[in-house]
Amino acid sequence: VTIGPQMPAIIEAGPALLLQELGNFGTVLIALPVAIALGLRREAVGMAHSVAREPNVGIIMNKFGINSPEGRGVMAIYIFGTVFGAVFMGLISGLLVSITPIHPLSFAMASGVGSGSMMAAASGSLITSFPELEDQIVAFAGASNLLSLATGFWVSIFIALPLTEKLYALL
């Protein structure tokens, strides 16, 4: 409902919105080495393959099981994200939009990570700073969140999780 009226602007954003899932590789390429440096083992695979929202938890549970180290890792990040994710996203989006020259709609797209509460918190901070862009912020964040849920599942299965396992073996 919120995306529909802004569809021309969303289509104009085109590849930027579609390629946002590539940001998920930051969790693999940055978080995995940090987790291993902190002494984590196979838990790091579950923790670092994604932002660990519901579809990603399902992928890990299906492949490794709930009692596996990977299962414990993904659940740790899921719970941490549930408790602290919305607060973090609200604070970081409000801070970054005020100190960087990046357009607020870029931050709106970045707020759609596959979690409704995180998206709402980030969007709320952006709307407070740019009330004149409220409709666009809500539409871009909603479209981004929807695409993250739809494409993130497949990216996790076919790219992110295999990449995480290979990088884990290498490290």
Side-chain angles (χ1 to χ4, degrees):
V1 173
T2 60
I3 297 170
Q6 298 294 325
M7 194 57 78
I10 290 170
I11 290 170
E12 189 177 314
L17 199 55
L18 291 174
L19 295 175
Q20 70 167 359
E21 197 58 39
L22 295 177
N24 195 37
F25 297 121
T27 62
V28 176
L29 301 175
I30 297 169
L32 184 65
V34 170
I36 291 172
L38 291 172
L40 296 167
R41 299 201 188 286
R42 291 294 301 174
E43 293 86 358
V45 172
M47 291 174 152
H49 87 282
S50 71
V51 293
R53 302 320 320 147
E54 289 83 356
N56 308 105
V57 171
I59 291 166
I60 294 295
M61 294 306 155
N62 187 51
K63 183 167 183 173
F64 300 104
I66 193 160
N67 292 322
S68 66
E70 296 85 351
R72 289 190 298 274
V74 76
M75 286 309 298
I77 295 302
Y78 177 78
I79 292 167
F80 188 87
T82 299
V83 175
F84 298 109
V87 173
F88 174 78
M89 291 291 286
L91 291 173
I92 198 74
S93 66
L95 175 68
L96 291 176
V97 79
S98 64
I99 65 171
T100 66
I102 299 171
H103 196 279
L105 294 182
S106 296
F107 285 107
M109 285 191 283
S111 71
V113 295
S115 166
S117 61
M118 290 183 205
M119 180 201 68
S123 298
S125 292
L126 296 172
I127 290 166
T128 300
S129 298
F130 297 92
E132 69 279 5
L133 296 175
E134 179 177 1
D135 291 341
Q136 288 179 301
I137 289 169
V138 170
F140 273 75
S144 171
N145 202 49
L146 181 64
L147 285 169
S148 288
L149 284 169
T151 62
F153 179 78
W154 301 107
V155 168
S156 287
I157 289 174
F158 294 114
I159 301 169
L161 187 55
L163 176 64
T164 305
E165 290 185 289
K166 285 183 176 143
L167 186 58
Y168 176 82
L170 181 70
L171 295 172

